[in-house]
């Protein structure tokens, strides 16, 4: 591990210390070779004083055990009918998983307890069909869970619930994780499954707002193009963020080593995060940001990609500058200088930190500046560049022009700089309210 990696982790520690994470692991992941690595990751979280509640599934184990016993099960994941034979096989499979989980936690010196904290009632009759032994979570015994957490003990919760009379119900682990997170005030739910996350057009989607996640479910539910297990997790992520107010829900591939830590302790992560708060935003620059902005663009200034700007230069036009924040860290910036008399604006100081290239942030900043220009009544935006003019043409739709289009005061600076920058131009128009530019 690099020192810079450790520093990156440490910036999150104050935010997460003594807060609760609900980690939901599918049965398939428990049975995988990578489960041992996940246990080590949980030990890291505990060493940083992060409180962990572990929820596990058992669908794969139920299916396998039923096949071995020659039992025809009515449902494996706790979302459909659970008849008596299925419940019997399910309880045995869950008990087997429990042994694996507890043995694994003990092997990494983590104290844990198997908890019957889920109080469930029958799911009842749905669409005219009795769901039999399938249950729904009625409430969570938060008192016992807090007692365990305060003693440094990890509660392990199975996909099983009990009513006041001791009757047993099969419950869906995705739903259990959601209900536990709500009841315990968790700040994260992490779903570890065999899915990489949400993939659209062959590309992994790193972040989804609630609206985007809802749209994904609406488009793909019942189509057969996306597995029902992933749809379930996205649906529960939406409920967690919108109704329960869990700030962030992460969908991770639990078969990948270090997926858990990479997702929790990095700005970009490696899975899909559904969020309810402002994870990314473009905002104006304040005086306190100027030093950080200068540090951000220093490398590009040194390579003569950007014009050198002093602190006084930025302060003199402070309202023109905007920054892109990702998880409260500045990763990009842009400036828009308006020449109202000429009806034109200059898009300047467009830069994204090298560690965040390839994420589309440059285009977001460009679009934001163009939209801002349109809001100000400007019809054209120009950009001057010595090295990135291809980017403006290919990604932004700019065309090459001549220095003759520059406003007089800007032309003087252009000639004095001797940079011989190419001048790019683009017509702009308002396409949406400016508030929609938050990313």
């Amino acid at each position: 591990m690099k020192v810079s990696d450790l520093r990156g982790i440490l910036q999150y520690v104050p935010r997460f210390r003594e807060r609760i994470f609900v980690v939901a692991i599918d049965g398939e992941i428990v049975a995988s070779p990578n489960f041992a690595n996940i246990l080590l990751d949980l030990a890291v979280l505990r060493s940083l004083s992060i409180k962990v509640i572990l929820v596990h599934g058992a669908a794969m184990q139920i299916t396998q055990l039923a096949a071995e016993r020659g039992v025809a099960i009515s449902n494996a994941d706790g979302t459909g009918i659970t008849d008596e034979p299925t419940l019997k096989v399910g309880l045995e499979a869950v008990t087997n998983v429990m042994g694996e989980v507890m043995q694994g936690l003990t092997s990494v010196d983590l104290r844990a307890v198997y908890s019957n904290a889920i109080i469930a009632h029958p799911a009842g009759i749905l669409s005219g069909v009795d769901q039999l032994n399938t249950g729904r979570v009625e409430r969570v015994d938060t008192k016992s869970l807090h007692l365990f957490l305060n003693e440094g003990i990890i509660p392990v919760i199975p996909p099983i619930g009990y009513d006041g009379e001791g009757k047993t119900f099969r419950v869906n682990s995705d739903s259990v994780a959601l209900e536990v997170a709500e009841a315990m005030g968790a700040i994260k739910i992490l779903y570890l499954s065999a899915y990489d996350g949400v993939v659209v057009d062959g590309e992994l989607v790193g972040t989804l707002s609630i609206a985007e996640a809802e749209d994904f479910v609406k488009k793909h539910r019942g189509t057969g193009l996306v597995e029902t297990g992933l749809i379930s997790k996205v649906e529960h992520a939406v409920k967690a963020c919108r109704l329960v107010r869990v700030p962030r829900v992460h969908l991770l591939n639990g078969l990948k080593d270090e997926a858990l830590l990479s997702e929790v302790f990095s700005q970009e992560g490696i899975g899909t995060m559904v969020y309810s708060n402002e994870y990314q935003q473009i905002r104006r620059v304040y005086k306190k940001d100027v030093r950080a902005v200068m540090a951000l663009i220093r490398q590009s200034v040194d390579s003569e990609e950007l014009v050198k700007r002093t602190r006084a230069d930025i302060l003199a036009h402070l309202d023109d500058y905007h920054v892109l924040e990702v998880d409260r860290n500045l990763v990009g910036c842009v400036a828009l200088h308006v020449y109202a008399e000429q009806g034109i604006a200059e898009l300047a100081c467009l830069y994204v930190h090298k560690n965040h290239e390839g994420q589309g942030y440059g285009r977001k900043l460009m679009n934001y500046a163009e939209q801002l220009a349109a809001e100000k009544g400007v019809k054209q935006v120009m950009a001057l560049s010595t090295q990135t003019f291809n980017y403006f043409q290919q990604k932004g739709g700019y065309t090459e022009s001549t220095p003759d289009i520059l406003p007089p005061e800007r032309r003087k600076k252009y000639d004095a700089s001797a940079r011989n920058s190419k001048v790019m131009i683009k017509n702009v128009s308002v396409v949406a309210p400016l508030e929609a530019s938050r990313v």
Side-chain angles (χ1 to χ4, degrees):
M1 175 180 286
K2 299 178 182 178
V3 173
S4 58
D5 294 335
L6 182 58
R7 289 171 179 163
I9 290 175
L10 291 177
Q11 70 174 310
Y12 291 93
V13 174
R15 198 183 313 170
F16 296 156
R17 184 180 290 119
E18 299 301 324
R19 305 301 295 274
I20 296 173
F21 287 6
V22 174
V23 180
I25 304 179
D26 279 4
E28 183 176 357
I29 306 306
V30 175
S32 73
N34 195 52
F35 184 56
N37 296 321
I38 293 173
L39 294 170
L40 291 173
D41 292 347
L42 295 180
V44 172
L45 296 182
R46 286 295 305 122
S47 71
L48 298 174
S49 297
I50 296 170
K51 298 180 178 180
V52 176
I53 299 175
L54 183 60
V55 176
H56 73 77
M60 188 195 81
Q61 287 82 353
I62 291 173
T63 301
Q64 289 180 343
L65 187 59
E68 292 173 7
R69 299 289 169 80
V71 176
I73 58 174
S74 57
N75 175 261
D77 64 3
T79 59
I81 300 169
T82 303
D83 58 19
E84 287 295 337
T86 300
L87 180 62
K88 184 177 180 180
V89 171
L91 289 174
E92 184 175 349
V94 167
T95 300
N96 293 339
V97 176
M98 174 192 71
E100 293 181 49
V101 172
M102 297 301 287
Q103 181 179 350
L105 290 169
T106 303
S107 71
V108 293
D109 293 327
L110 289 175
R111 292 191 298 160
V113 61
Y114 217 62
S115 175
N116 61 345
I118 300 302
I119 292 84
H121 281 180
I125 300 172
L126 303 177
S127 301
V129 180
D130 191 340
Q131 303 300 296
L132 301 176
N133 298 298
T134 298
R136 57 181 176 82
V137 179
E138 182 68 20
R139 65 181 179 87
V140 177
D141 181 2
T142 57
K143 183 177 180 179
S144 66
L145 295 182
H146 279 300
L147 286 173
F148 295 139
L149 292 175
N150 292 338
E151 291 297 324
I153 299 172
I154 295 179
V156 180
I157 302 178
I160 298 293
Y162 307 91
D163 67 8
E165 298 178 353
K167 183 175 174 56
T168 303
F169 297 96
R170 174 75 167 98
V171 289
N172 176 258
S173 60
D174 293 344
S175 178
V176 171
L178 170 63
E179 298 292 343
V180 169
E182 176 182 19
M184 296 296 290
I187 64 168
K188 284 183 183 293
I189 302 175
L190 298 112
Y191 286 114
L192 275 66
S193 68
Y195 310 113
D196 288 329
V198 173
V199 177
V200 176
D201 296 329
E203 294 188 5
L204 178 68
V205 180
T207 59
L208 286 173
S209 66
I210 296 175
E212 290 169 334
E214 286 177 324
D215 186 58
F216 175 83
V217 171
K218 187 180 298 182
K219 287 182 178 178
H220 295 93
R221 185 197 287 116
T223 64
L225 299 176
V226 178
E227 294 190 50
T228 56
L230 178 59
I231 292 292
S232 171
K233 286 170 173 53
V234 178
E235 285 183 310
H236 282 88
V238 169
K239 291 178 182 177
C241 291
R242 183 180 295 283
L243 304 178
V244 179
R245 305 307 296 172
V246 175
R248 297 175 188 178
V249 180
H250 304 258
L251 313 181
L252 309 175
N253 189 333
L255 300 176
K256 293 184 177 179
D257 188 17
E258 298 185 352
L260 181 57
L261 296 184
S262 297
E263 181 73 13
V264 172
F265 296 117
S266 67
Q267 294 171 14
E268 300 306 325
I270 66 169
T272 296
M273 182 184 75
V274 180
Y275 62 95
S276 61
N277 58 352
E278 219 167 75
Y279 170 67
Q280 301 172 1
Q281 67 167 333
I282 297 175
R283 63 168 177 81
R284 58 165 297 213
V285 168
Y286 302 109
K287 287 184 179 179
K288 65 180 181 179
D289 300 316
V290 174
R291 187 184 301 275
V293 170
M294 294 181 67
L296 177 68
I297 66 175
R298 182 175 295 123
Q299 182 176 349
S300 188
V301 171
D302 292 342
S303 65
E304 298 185 4
E305 181 181 341
L306 291 179
V307 174
K308 182 178 180 180
R309 291 167 173 81
T310 66
R311 177 180 174 82
D313 291 334
I314 297 177
L315 287 173
H317 303 279
L318 193 62
D319 290 343
D320 293 354
Y321 287 83
H322 294 78
V323 290
L324 168 64
E325 282 187 327
V326 176
D327 215 9
R328 305 181 190 177
N329 295 284
L330 269 59
V331 303
C333 63
V334 70
L336 185 77
H337 307 306
V338 178
Y339 300 89
E341 292 185 7
Q342 290 78 24
I344 196 169
E346 179 186 359
L347 189 157
C349 199
L350 177 62
Y351 182 74
V352 175
H353 192 282
K354 64 179 182 179
N355 290 344
H356 299 272
E357 292 176 349
Q359 303 292 326
Y361 293 153
R363 294 180 68 177
K364 289 176 180 176
L365 285 163
M366 182 189 299
N367 292 340
Y368 181 88
E370 292 168 357
Q371 191 174 343
L372 184 61
E375 290 282 336
K376 293 179 178 292
V378 172
K379 302 300 182 183
Q380 290 185 311
V381 173
M382 60 182 181
L384 280 64
S385 175
T386 59
Q387 300 176 36
T388 59
F389 41 84
N390 282 341
Y391 178 84
F392 283 101
Q393 290 176 315
Q394 296 170 8
K395 302 295 185 181
Y398 285 71
T399 57
E400 188 172 349
S401 186
T402 69
D404 293 337
I405 70 167
L406 299 176
E409 59 181 291
R410 185 65 182 90
R411 181 62 186 265
K412 290 180 181 179
K413 293 181 180 179
Y414 177 88
D415 293 336
S417 71
R419 283 170 54 86
N420 197 29
S421 302
K422 288 194 175 185
V423 179
M424 318 299 294
I425 192 75
K426 180 180 181 179
N427 295 327
V428 296
S429 60
V430 179
V431 295
L434 197 55
E435 182 65 23
S437 294
R438 290 186 173 183
V439 297

